[in-house]
Each structure stands twice: as C-alpha cells, then as structure tokens.
Short mmCIF file of all heavy atoms in Angstrom, two decimals:
data_model
loop_
_atom_site.label_atom_id
_atom_site.label_comp_id
_atom_site.label_asym_id
_atom_site.label_seq_id
_atom_site.Cartn_x
_atom_site.Cartn_y
_atom_site.Cartn_z
N MET S 181 0.84 -1.16 0.00
CA MET S 181 0.00 0.00 0.00
C MET S 181 0.89 1.24 0.00
O MET S 181 1.52 1.56 1.00
CB MET S 181 -0.89 -0.04 1.24
CG MET S 181 -1.77 1.16 1.35
SD MET S 181 -2.86 1.05 2.76
CE MET S 181 -1.93 2.00 3.92
N LEU S 182 0.96 1.90 -1.09
CA LEU S 182 1.76 3.11 -1.20
C LEU S 182 0.89 4.33 -0.95
O LEU S 182 -0.25 4.39 -1.38
CB LEU S 182 2.40 3.20 -2.58
CG LEU S 182 3.41 2.11 -2.92
CD1 LEU S 182 3.86 2.24 -4.35
CD2 LEU S 182 4.59 2.19 -1.99
N LEU S 183 1.43 5.28 -0.22
CA LEU S 183 0.70 6.50 0.07
C LEU S 183 1.04 7.56 -0.97
O LEU S 183 2.17 7.66 -1.44
CB LEU S 183 1.04 7.01 1.46
CG LEU S 183 0.67 6.09 2.62
CD1 LEU S 183 1.18 6.68 3.93
CD2 LEU S 183 -0.82 5.90 2.69
N ARG S 184 0.05 8.34 -1.29
CA ARG S 184 0.29 9.44 -2.21
C ARG S 184 0.99 10.58 -1.49
O ARG S 184 1.08 10.62 -0.27
CB ARG S 184 -1.03 9.94 -2.79
CG ARG S 184 -1.70 8.88 -3.64
CD ARG S 184 -2.88 9.47 -4.34
NE ARG S 184 -3.65 10.35 -3.48
CZ ARG S 184 -4.96 10.44 -3.50
NH1 ARG S 184 -5.65 9.70 -4.32
NH2 ARG S 184 -5.59 11.28 -2.69
N THR S 185 1.51 11.53 -2.24
CA THR S 185 2.26 12.65 -1.69
C THR S 185 1.40 13.48 -0.74
O THR S 185 1.86 13.90 0.33
CB THR S 185 2.78 13.54 -2.83
OG1 THR S 185 3.51 12.74 -3.74
CG2 THR S 185 3.66 14.65 -2.31
N GLU S 186 0.13 13.69 -1.11
CA GLU S 186 -0.75 14.49 -0.26
C GLU S 186 -0.97 13.80 1.08
O GLU S 186 -1.02 14.45 2.13
CB GLU S 186 -2.11 14.71 -0.95
CG GLU S 186 -2.02 15.49 -2.24
CD GLU S 186 -1.77 14.60 -3.44
OE1 GLU S 186 -1.95 13.38 -3.33
OE2 GLU S 186 -1.39 15.14 -4.48
N SER S 187 -1.12 12.48 1.07
CA SER S 187 -1.33 11.73 2.31
C SER S 187 -0.11 11.81 3.21
O SER S 187 -0.23 11.99 4.43
CB SER S 187 -1.65 10.27 2.00
OG SER S 187 -2.80 10.18 1.20
N LEU S 188 1.08 11.66 2.64
CA LEU S 188 2.30 11.75 3.43
C LEU S 188 2.47 13.15 4.03
O LEU S 188 2.86 13.29 5.19
CB LEU S 188 3.52 11.39 2.57
CG LEU S 188 3.64 9.92 2.18
CD1 LEU S 188 4.81 9.73 1.23
CD2 LEU S 188 3.82 9.08 3.41
N PHE S 189 2.15 14.16 3.24
CA PHE S 189 2.25 15.53 3.73
C PHE S 189 1.28 15.74 4.89
O PHE S 189 1.64 16.34 5.91
CB PHE S 189 1.95 16.52 2.59
CG PHE S 189 2.02 17.95 3.01
CD1 PHE S 189 3.24 18.54 3.27
CD2 PHE S 189 0.87 18.70 3.15
CE1 PHE S 189 3.32 19.87 3.66
CE2 PHE S 189 0.93 20.02 3.54
CZ PHE S 189 2.15 20.61 3.79
N LEU S 190 0.08 15.24 4.77
CA LEU S 190 -0.92 15.38 5.83
C LEU S 190 -0.48 14.65 7.10
O LEU S 190 -0.63 15.18 8.21
CB LEU S 190 -2.27 14.85 5.36
CG LEU S 190 -3.42 14.98 6.35
CD1 LEU S 190 -3.71 16.44 6.62
CD2 LEU S 190 -4.64 14.27 5.81
N ILE S 191 0.11 13.48 6.96
CA ILE S 191 0.59 12.72 8.11
C ILE S 191 1.71 13.49 8.82
O ILE S 191 1.75 13.57 10.05
CB ILE S 191 1.05 11.32 7.69
CG1 ILE S 191 -0.16 10.48 7.28
CG2 ILE S 191 1.84 10.63 8.79
CD1 ILE S 191 0.19 9.16 6.63
N VAL S 192 2.62 14.07 8.06
CA VAL S 192 3.72 14.84 8.65
C VAL S 192 3.19 16.07 9.38
O VAL S 192 3.61 16.38 10.51
CB VAL S 192 4.75 15.24 7.57
CG1 VAL S 192 5.74 16.24 8.10
CG2 VAL S 192 5.45 14.01 7.05
N VAL S 193 2.23 16.76 8.78
CA VAL S 193 1.67 17.96 9.41
C VAL S 193 0.95 17.60 10.71
O VAL S 193 1.13 18.27 11.74
CB VAL S 193 0.72 18.70 8.43
CG1 VAL S 193 -0.09 19.77 9.14
CG2 VAL S 193 1.52 19.30 7.29
N VAL S 194 0.15 16.54 10.68
CA VAL S 194 -0.56 16.11 11.89
C VAL S 194 0.45 15.68 12.96
O VAL S 194 0.29 15.99 14.14
CB VAL S 194 -1.56 14.97 11.57
CG1 VAL S 194 -2.11 14.35 12.84
CG2 VAL S 194 -2.69 15.50 10.71
N GLY S 195 1.50 14.98 12.57
CA GLY S 195 2.54 14.59 13.51
C GLY S 195 3.22 15.78 14.15
O GLY S 195 3.48 15.80 15.36
N LEU S 196 3.50 16.78 13.35
CA LEU S 196 4.12 18.00 13.89
C LEU S 196 3.19 18.71 14.86
O LEU S 196 3.62 19.24 15.89
CB LEU S 196 4.52 18.94 12.75
CG LEU S 196 5.74 18.53 11.93
CD1 LEU S 196 5.93 19.48 10.76
CD2 LEU S 196 6.98 18.52 12.80
N LEU S 197 1.91 18.74 14.53
CA LEU S 197 0.95 19.41 15.42
C LEU S 197 0.78 18.66 16.73
O LEU S 197 0.65 19.25 17.79
CB LEU S 197 -0.40 19.54 14.72
CG LEU S 197 -0.47 20.56 13.58
CD1 LEU S 197 -1.83 20.49 12.91
CD2 LEU S 197 -0.20 21.96 14.09
N LEU S 198 0.77 17.33 16.67
CA LEU S 198 0.57 16.54 17.88
C LEU S 198 1.81 16.47 18.77
O LEU S 198 1.71 16.58 19.99
CB LEU S 198 0.13 15.12 17.52
CG LEU S 198 -1.28 14.97 16.96
CD1 LEU S 198 -1.53 13.53 16.56
CD2 LEU S 198 -2.30 15.42 17.97
N PHE S 199 2.96 16.25 18.17
CA PHE S 199 4.16 15.97 18.95
C PHE S 199 5.15 17.13 19.02
O PHE S 199 6.01 17.16 19.88
CB PHE S 199 4.89 14.74 18.39
CG PHE S 199 4.07 13.50 18.46
CD1 PHE S 199 3.58 12.92 17.31
CD2 PHE S 199 3.76 12.92 19.68
CE1 PHE S 199 2.82 11.77 17.37
CE2 PHE S 199 3.00 11.77 19.75
CZ PHE S 199 2.52 11.20 18.59
N GLY S 200 5.07 18.04 18.12
CA GLY S 200 6.03 19.14 18.09
C GLY S 200 7.29 18.72 17.34
O GLY S 200 7.55 17.55 17.08
N TRP S 201 8.08 19.71 16.96
CA TRP S 201 9.25 19.47 16.12
C TRP S 201 10.32 18.64 16.83
O TRP S 201 10.94 17.77 16.25
CB TRP S 201 9.83 20.82 15.69
CG TRP S 201 11.01 20.69 14.79
CD1 TRP S 201 12.30 20.89 15.13
CD2 TRP S 201 11.00 20.32 13.43
NE1 TRP S 201 13.11 20.67 14.06
CE2 TRP S 201 12.34 20.30 13.00
CE3 TRP S 201 10.02 19.98 12.52
CZ2 TRP S 201 12.69 19.98 11.70
CZ3 TRP S 201 10.38 19.65 11.23
CH2 TRP S 201 11.70 19.65 10.84
N ARG S 202 10.53 18.86 18.11
CA ARG S 202 11.61 18.19 18.83
C ARG S 202 11.27 16.76 19.20
O ARG S 202 12.14 15.92 19.27
CB ARG S 202 11.97 18.97 20.08
CG ARG S 202 12.58 20.31 19.76
CD ARG S 202 12.99 21.02 21.01
NE ARG S 202 13.40 22.38 20.70
CZ ARG S 202 14.65 22.78 20.73
NH1 ARG S 202 15.59 21.95 21.06
NH2 ARG S 202 14.94 24.02 20.43
N ARG S 203 10.01 16.47 19.49
CA ARG S 203 9.63 15.13 19.93
C ARG S 203 9.30 14.20 18.77
O ARG S 203 9.18 12.99 18.96
CB ARG S 203 8.43 15.21 20.86
CG ARG S 203 8.79 15.83 22.19
CD ARG S 203 7.64 15.85 23.15
NE ARG S 203 6.98 14.57 23.28
CZ ARG S 203 5.76 14.40 23.73
NH1 ARG S 203 5.05 15.45 24.10
NH2 ARG S 203 5.23 13.21 23.83
N LEU S 204 9.10 14.73 17.57
CA LEU S 204 8.68 13.91 16.44
C LEU S 204 9.69 12.81 16.07
O LEU S 204 9.29 11.66 15.89
CB LEU S 204 8.37 14.79 15.23
CG LEU S 204 7.73 14.08 14.04
CD1 LEU S 204 6.40 13.49 14.45
CD2 LEU S 204 7.54 15.05 12.89
N PRO S 205 11.00 13.08 15.97
CA PRO S 205 11.93 12.00 15.63
C PRO S 205 11.94 10.86 16.65
O PRO S 205 11.95 9.69 16.29
CB PRO S 205 13.29 12.69 15.58
CG PRO S 205 12.99 14.10 15.30
CD PRO S 205 11.68 14.37 15.99
N GLY S 206 11.90 11.21 17.93
CA GLY S 206 11.86 10.17 18.96
C GLY S 206 10.57 9.36 18.90
O GLY S 206 10.58 8.14 19.09
N SER S 207 9.46 10.03 18.63
CA SER S 207 8.19 9.33 18.52
C SER S 207 8.19 8.37 17.33
O SER S 207 7.69 7.25 17.41
CB SER S 207 7.05 10.33 18.37
OG SER S 207 6.98 11.17 19.48
N MET S 208 8.75 8.82 16.21
CA MET S 208 8.81 7.95 15.03
C MET S 208 9.75 6.77 15.27
O MET S 208 9.49 5.65 14.82
CB MET S 208 9.27 8.75 13.81
CG MET S 208 8.29 9.79 13.34
SD MET S 208 6.75 9.06 12.78
CE MET S 208 5.64 9.61 14.07
N ARG S 209 10.83 7.00 15.99
CA ARG S 209 11.76 5.92 16.32
C ARG S 209 11.07 4.89 17.20
O ARG S 209 11.18 3.68 16.97
CB ARG S 209 13.00 6.51 17.01
CG ARG S 209 14.12 5.53 17.21
CD ARG S 209 15.40 6.19 17.69
NE ARG S 209 15.26 7.42 18.46
CZ ARG S 209 15.51 8.65 17.99
NH1 ARG S 209 15.91 8.79 16.75
NH2 ARG S 209 15.36 9.71 18.76
N ASP S 210 10.33 5.35 18.21
CA ASP S 210 9.59 4.44 19.08
C ASP S 210 8.52 3.68 18.31
O ASP S 210 8.29 2.49 18.54
CB ASP S 210 8.96 5.20 20.24
CG ASP S 210 9.99 5.76 21.20
OD1 ASP S 210 11.14 5.26 21.18
OD2 ASP S 210 9.65 6.69 21.96
N LEU S 211 7.86 4.35 17.38
CA LEU S 211 6.85 3.69 16.56
C LEU S 211 7.48 2.61 15.68
O LEU S 211 6.93 1.52 15.51
CB LEU S 211 6.13 4.73 15.70
CG LEU S 211 4.98 4.24 14.84
CD1 LEU S 211 3.86 3.72 15.73
CD2 LEU S 211 4.49 5.35 13.95
N GLY S 212 8.66 2.89 15.14
CA GLY S 212 9.37 1.90 14.34
C GLY S 212 9.79 0.69 15.16
O GLY S 212 9.68 -0.45 14.70
N LYS S 213 10.25 0.92 16.39
CA LYS S 213 10.62 -0.18 17.27
C LYS S 213 9.40 -1.04 17.59
O LYS S 213 9.48 -2.27 17.56
CB LYS S 213 11.22 0.34 18.58
CG LYS S 213 12.62 0.87 18.44
CD LYS S 213 13.11 1.38 19.80
CE LYS S 213 14.47 2.01 19.70
NZ LYS S 213 14.92 2.54 20.99
N ALA S 214 8.29 -0.39 17.90
CA ALA S 214 7.07 -1.13 18.21
C ALA S 214 6.60 -1.95 17.01
O ALA S 214 6.17 -3.10 17.16
CB ALA S 214 5.97 -0.17 18.65
N ARG S 215 6.73 -1.39 15.83
CA ARG S 215 6.33 -2.11 14.61
C ARG S 215 7.22 -3.33 14.38
O ARG S 215 6.74 -4.41 14.03
CB ARG S 215 6.41 -1.17 13.42
CG ARG S 215 5.97 -1.79 12.13
CD ARG S 215 5.96 -0.76 11.00
NE ARG S 215 5.89 -1.44 9.75
CZ ARG S 215 6.94 -1.71 8.96
NH1 ARG S 215 8.13 -1.29 9.31
NH2 ARG S 215 6.79 -2.34 7.84
N ARG S 216 8.52 -3.19 14.59
CA ARG S 216 9.44 -4.32 14.42
C ARG S 216 9.16 -5.41 15.45
O ARG S 216 9.20 -6.60 15.12
CB ARG S 216 10.88 -3.84 14.52
CG ARG S 216 11.38 -3.17 13.26
CD ARG S 216 12.89 -2.94 13.30
NE ARG S 216 13.30 -2.03 14.35
CZ ARG S 216 13.32 -0.71 14.24
NH1 ARG S 216 12.94 -0.15 13.12
NH2 ARG S 216 13.72 0.04 15.24
N ILE S 217 8.89 -5.01 16.69
CA ILE S 217 8.58 -6.00 17.73
C ILE S 217 7.29 -6.74 17.38
O ILE S 217 7.22 -7.97 17.48
CB ILE S 217 8.48 -5.31 19.11
CG1 ILE S 217 9.86 -4.85 19.56
CG2 ILE S 217 7.86 -6.25 20.14
CD1 ILE S 217 9.83 -3.95 20.78
N LEU S 218 6.27 -6.01 16.96
CA LEU S 218 5.00 -6.64 16.60
C LEU S 218 5.18 -7.60 15.43
O LEU S 218 4.63 -8.71 15.44
CB LEU S 218 3.98 -5.56 16.25
CG LEU S 218 2.61 -6.06 15.83
CD1 LEU S 218 1.94 -6.80 16.97
CD2 LEU S 218 1.75 -4.91 15.35
N LYS S 219 5.96 -7.21 14.44
CA LYS S 219 6.20 -8.06 13.28
C LYS S 219 6.95 -9.33 13.69
O LYS S 219 6.60 -10.43 13.26
CB LYS S 219 7.01 -7.29 12.24
CG LYS S 219 7.23 -8.04 10.96
CD LYS S 219 7.97 -7.18 9.96
CE LYS S 219 8.24 -7.93 8.68
NZ LYS S 219 9.00 -7.13 7.72
N ALA S 220 7.95 -9.20 14.54
CA ALA S 220 8.72 -10.37 14.99
C ALA S 220 7.86 -11.31 15.83
O ALA S 220 7.93 -12.53 15.66
CB ALA S 220 9.95 -9.92 15.79
N GLU S 221 7.04 -10.75 16.71
CA GLU S 221 6.19 -11.59 17.55
C GLU S 221 5.12 -12.30 16.72
O GLU S 221 4.81 -13.47 16.97
CB GLU S 221 5.55 -10.76 18.65
CG GLU S 221 6.53 -10.28 19.69
CD GLU S 221 7.18 -11.43 20.45
OE1 GLU S 221 6.52 -12.44 20.72
OE2 GLU S 221 8.37 -11.31 20.78
N SER S 222 4.54 -11.63 15.76
CA SER S 222 3.52 -12.28 14.94
C SER S 222 4.15 -13.37 14.07
O SER S 222 3.54 -14.41 13.85
CB SER S 222 2.78 -11.26 14.08
OG SER S 222 3.65 -10.65 13.16
N GLN S 223 5.37 -13.16 13.60
CA GLN S 223 6.05 -14.19 12.83
C GLN S 223 6.37 -15.39 13.71
O GLN S 223 6.21 -16.54 13.30
CB GLN S 223 7.34 -13.64 12.20
CG GLN S 223 8.09 -14.64 11.35
CD GLN S 223 7.29 -15.05 10.13
OE1 GLN S 223 6.59 -14.24 9.52
NE2 GLN S 223 7.37 -16.30 9.76
N ALA S 224 6.81 -15.15 14.93
CA ALA S 224 7.09 -16.25 15.86
C ALA S 224 5.83 -17.03 16.20
O ALA S 224 5.86 -18.25 16.31
CB ALA S 224 7.73 -15.69 17.14
N LEU S 225 4.73 -16.32 16.33
CA LEU S 225 3.46 -16.98 16.61
C LEU S 225 3.05 -17.86 15.44
O LEU S 225 2.60 -19.00 15.62
CB LEU S 225 2.37 -15.95 16.90
CG LEU S 225 1.00 -16.48 17.24
CD1 LEU S 225 1.06 -17.30 18.52
CD2 LEU S 225 0.01 -15.35 17.37
N ARG S 226 3.22 -17.37 14.21
CA ARG S 226 2.89 -18.17 13.03
C ARG S 226 3.81 -19.39 12.91
O ARG S 226 3.38 -20.45 12.47
CB ARG S 226 3.00 -17.33 11.77
CG ARG S 226 1.72 -16.60 11.46
CD ARG S 226 1.81 -15.86 10.17
NE ARG S 226 2.08 -14.48 10.58
CZ ARG S 226 2.86 -13.65 9.95
NH1 ARG S 226 3.47 -14.00 8.87
NH2 ARG S 226 3.04 -12.43 10.39
N ASP S 227 5.07 -19.23 13.31
CA ASP S 227 6.00 -20.36 13.22
C ASP S 227 5.72 -21.41 14.28
O ASP S 227 5.93 -22.60 14.06
CB ASP S 227 7.44 -19.86 13.38
CG ASP S 227 7.90 -19.05 12.18
OD1 ASP S 227 7.25 -19.13 11.12
OD2 ASP S 227 8.90 -18.33 12.33
N ASP S 228 5.22 -21.00 15.46
CA ASP S 228 4.98 -21.94 16.56
C ASP S 228 3.70 -22.75 16.39
O ASP S 228 3.64 -23.90 16.81
CB ASP S 228 4.90 -21.18 17.89
CG ASP S 228 6.26 -20.68 18.34
OD1 ASP S 228 7.27 -21.15 17.79
OD2 ASP S 228 6.30 -19.82 19.23
N VAL S 229 2.69 -22.17 15.80
CA VAL S 229 1.39 -22.83 15.71
C VAL S 229 1.27 -23.52 14.36
O VAL S 229 1.28 -22.87 13.32
CB VAL S 229 0.24 -21.80 15.88
CG1 VAL S 229 -1.10 -22.48 15.73
CG2 VAL S 229 0.36 -21.10 17.21
N PRO S 230 1.16 -24.87 14.37
CA PRO S 230 1.00 -25.56 13.09
C PRO S 230 -0.40 -25.32 12.54
O PRO S 230 -1.37 -25.20 13.29
CB PRO S 230 1.21 -27.03 13.45
CG PRO S 230 0.86 -27.11 14.89
CD PRO S 230 1.22 -25.79 15.49
N LEU S 231 -0.50 -25.25 11.24
CA LEU S 231 -1.79 -25.08 10.61
C LEU S 231 -2.58 -26.37 10.68
O LEU S 231 -2.00 -27.46 10.57
CB LEU S 231 -1.61 -24.66 9.15
CG LEU S 231 -0.95 -23.30 8.93
CD1 LEU S 231 -0.75 -23.07 7.44
CD2 LEU S 231 -1.81 -22.20 9.51
N PRO S 232 -3.89 -26.28 10.87
CA PRO S 232 -4.67 -27.51 10.91
C PRO S 232 -4.69 -28.17 9.53
O PRO S 232 -4.64 -27.50 8.50
CB PRO S 232 -6.07 -27.03 11.31
CG PRO S 232 -6.10 -25.59 10.98
CD PRO S 232 -4.69 -25.09 11.07
N ARG S 233 -4.74 -29.50 9.56
CA ARG S 233 -4.78 -30.23 8.30
C ARG S 233 -6.14 -30.05 7.66
O ARG S 233 -7.17 -30.04 8.33
CB ARG S 233 -4.51 -31.70 8.54
CG ARG S 233 -3.09 -31.93 9.05
CD ARG S 233 -2.81 -33.37 9.27
NE ARG S 233 -2.99 -34.09 8.01
CZ ARG S 233 -2.80 -35.37 7.86
NH1 ARG S 233 -2.44 -36.10 8.87
NH2 ARG S 233 -2.98 -35.95 6.70
N ARG S 234 -6.15 -29.92 6.37
CA ARG S 234 -7.41 -29.75 5.66
C ARG S 234 -8.09 -31.09 5.48
O ARG S 234 -7.46 -32.07 5.13
CB ARG S 234 -7.16 -29.12 4.30
CG ARG S 234 -6.62 -27.70 4.41
CD ARG S 234 -6.47 -27.08 3.09
NE ARG S 234 -7.81 -26.79 2.60
CZ ARG S 234 -8.06 -26.18 1.46
NH1 ARG S 234 -7.08 -25.82 0.69
NH2 ARG S 234 -9.29 -25.94 1.08
N ARG S 235 -9.35 -31.11 5.77
CA ARG S 235 -10.13 -32.33 5.59
C ARG S 235 -10.85 -32.25 4.25
O ARG S 235 -11.46 -31.24 3.92
CB ARG S 235 -11.17 -32.48 6.70
CG ARG S 235 -10.55 -32.82 8.01
CD ARG S 235 -11.57 -33.00 9.09
NE ARG S 235 -12.85 -33.49 8.60
CZ ARG S 235 -13.95 -33.57 9.31
NH1 ARG S 235 -13.94 -33.17 10.55
NH2 ARG S 235 -15.07 -34.02 8.80
N VAL S 236 -10.79 -33.33 3.52
CA VAL S 236 -11.48 -33.40 2.25
C VAL S 236 -12.52 -34.51 2.36
O VAL S 236 -12.20 -35.65 2.68
CB VAL S 236 -10.51 -33.69 1.08
CG1 VAL S 236 -11.25 -33.85 -0.22
CG2 VAL S 236 -9.47 -32.59 1.00
N VAL S 237 -13.74 -34.15 2.13
CA VAL S 237 -14.82 -35.12 2.18
C VAL S 237 -15.24 -35.40 0.75
O VAL S 237 -15.64 -34.51 0.01
CB VAL S 237 -16.02 -34.58 3.00
CG1 VAL S 237 -17.15 -35.58 3.00
CG2 VAL S 237 -15.57 -34.22 4.40
N GLU S 238 -15.13 -36.66 0.38
CA GLU S 238 -15.54 -37.06 -0.97
C GLU S 238 -16.91 -37.70 -0.89
O GLU S 238 -17.17 -38.54 -0.04
CB GLU S 238 -14.52 -38.03 -1.55
CG GLU S 238 -13.16 -37.40 -1.76
CD GLU S 238 -12.17 -38.37 -2.39
OE1 GLU S 238 -12.61 -39.40 -2.92
OE2 GLU S 238 -10.98 -38.08 -2.33
N ALA S 239 -17.79 -37.28 -1.76
CA ALA S 239 -19.14 -37.83 -1.77
C ALA S 239 -19.58 -38.00 -3.22
O ALA S 239 -19.22 -37.24 -4.10
CB ALA S 239 -20.10 -36.90 -1.05
N SER S 240 -20.35 -39.02 -3.43
CA SER S 240 -20.93 -39.25 -4.75
C SER S 240 -22.39 -38.82 -4.69
O SER S 240 -22.96 -38.65 -3.60
CB SER S 240 -20.82 -40.73 -5.12
OG SER S 240 -21.58 -41.51 -4.22
N PRO S 241 -23.04 -38.65 -5.83
CA PRO S 241 -24.44 -38.23 -5.81
C PRO S 241 -25.35 -39.21 -5.05
O PRO S 241 -26.37 -38.80 -4.50
CB PRO S 241 -24.81 -38.16 -7.28
CG PRO S 241 -23.52 -37.93 -7.99
CD PRO S 241 -22.49 -38.64 -7.17
N GLU S 242 -24.99 -40.47 -4.99
CA GLU S 242 -25.80 -41.44 -4.28
C GLU S 242 -25.73 -41.23 -2.76
O GLU S 242 -26.62 -41.66 -2.03
CB GLU S 242 -25.37 -42.87 -4.60
CG GLU S 242 -25.57 -43.27 -6.06
CD GLU S 242 -24.43 -42.83 -6.95
OE1 GLU S 242 -23.29 -42.72 -6.47
OE2 GLU S 242 -24.70 -42.56 -8.14
N ASP S 243 -24.66 -40.60 -2.30
CA ASP S 243 -24.49 -40.38 -0.86
C ASP S 243 -25.36 -39.24 -0.34
O ASP S 243 -25.62 -39.15 0.86
CB ASP S 243 -23.03 -40.05 -0.53
CG ASP S 243 -22.12 -41.23 -0.81
OD1 ASP S 243 -22.61 -42.37 -0.81
OD2 ASP S 243 -20.93 -40.99 -1.04
N VAL S 244 -25.84 -38.40 -1.23
CA VAL S 244 -26.63 -37.25 -0.83
C VAL S 244 -28.06 -37.69 -0.58
O VAL S 244 -28.68 -38.35 -1.40
CB VAL S 244 -26.59 -36.14 -1.90
CG1 VAL S 244 -27.45 -34.96 -1.50
CG2 VAL S 244 -25.16 -35.71 -2.15
N VAL S 245 -28.59 -37.34 0.58
CA VAL S 245 -29.94 -37.71 0.95
C VAL S 245 -30.82 -36.49 0.76
O VAL S 245 -30.53 -35.42 1.25
CB VAL S 245 -30.00 -38.17 2.42
CG1 VAL S 245 -31.42 -38.51 2.82
CG2 VAL S 245 -29.07 -39.34 2.63
N THR S 246 -31.92 -36.68 0.03
CA THR S 246 -32.84 -35.55 -0.14
C THR S 246 -33.81 -35.52 1.03
O THR S 246 -34.18 -36.54 1.59
CB THR S 246 -33.63 -35.70 -1.45
OG1 THR S 246 -34.33 -36.93 -1.43
CG2 THR S 246 -32.70 -35.66 -2.65
N ARG S 247 -34.18 -34.33 1.39
CA ARG S 247 -35.04 -34.14 2.54
C ARG S 247 -36.41 -33.66 2.06
O ARG S 247 -36.50 -32.72 1.28
CB ARG S 247 -34.42 -33.11 3.47
CG ARG S 247 -35.14 -32.92 4.73
CD ARG S 247 -34.33 -32.03 5.63
NE ARG S 247 -35.26 -31.14 6.31
CZ ARG S 247 -34.89 -30.17 7.10
NH1 ARG S 247 -33.63 -29.91 7.24
NH2 ARG S 247 -35.78 -29.43 7.70
N HIS S 248 -37.44 -34.32 2.51
CA HIS S 248 -38.79 -33.94 2.14
C HIS S 248 -39.49 -33.42 3.36
O HIS S 248 -39.70 -34.16 4.33
CB HIS S 248 -39.58 -35.13 1.56
CG HIS S 248 -38.97 -35.67 0.30
ND1 HIS S 248 -39.12 -35.03 -0.91
CD2 HIS S 248 -38.22 -36.77 0.07
CE1 HIS S 248 -38.49 -35.73 -1.83
NE2 HIS S 248 -37.93 -36.79 -1.27
N ASP S 249 -39.83 -32.15 3.36
CA ASP S 249 -40.60 -31.57 4.46
C ASP S 249 -42.08 -31.77 4.15
O ASP S 249 -42.54 -31.49 3.07
CB ASP S 249 -40.31 -30.08 4.64
CG ASP S 249 -38.89 -29.86 5.12
OD1 ASP S 249 -38.38 -30.74 5.83
OD2 ASP S 249 -38.29 -28.82 4.78
N GLY S 250 -42.80 -32.21 5.12
CA GLY S 250 -44.20 -32.37 4.78
C GLY S 250 -45.00 -32.73 5.88
O GLY S 250 -45.94 -33.02 6.28
#
C-alpha cells in the first residue's frame, strides 16, 4: 500500500501538530521499534502454531440424501 504525496504531507503535518518538532523523531523511532517487535512476535506466533490439516470429504451423488418436508 503506497501513500500518495498528499497523504504523506498530511501525516507529517498532523505529527508535527501533535508531537512538536523536537519530539517527532523520537516518537517515530519508538513507533518503528514497536512495529518491528510486533512483526517479529507475529512471525514467531505463526512459526509456533501448526496449521490444521485440511479435511477433504468425498461424496458421490448417491451419498446425498434428499429431505422432504411435509
């Protein structure tokens, strides 16, 4: 997902308004660290949990039972 120039400019302006010029680099650094930690933890979780095996049920038309409500 690539952001357009206008979107990036708006994000920078909002960041400057919220955090101020001096705190913005530290805030972005902390955000990057949190993103890397989240990515590493989610990858570790995917590696630890095996995926369930897929079950395939084979049926022929004779196996299907029609239901008559009445």
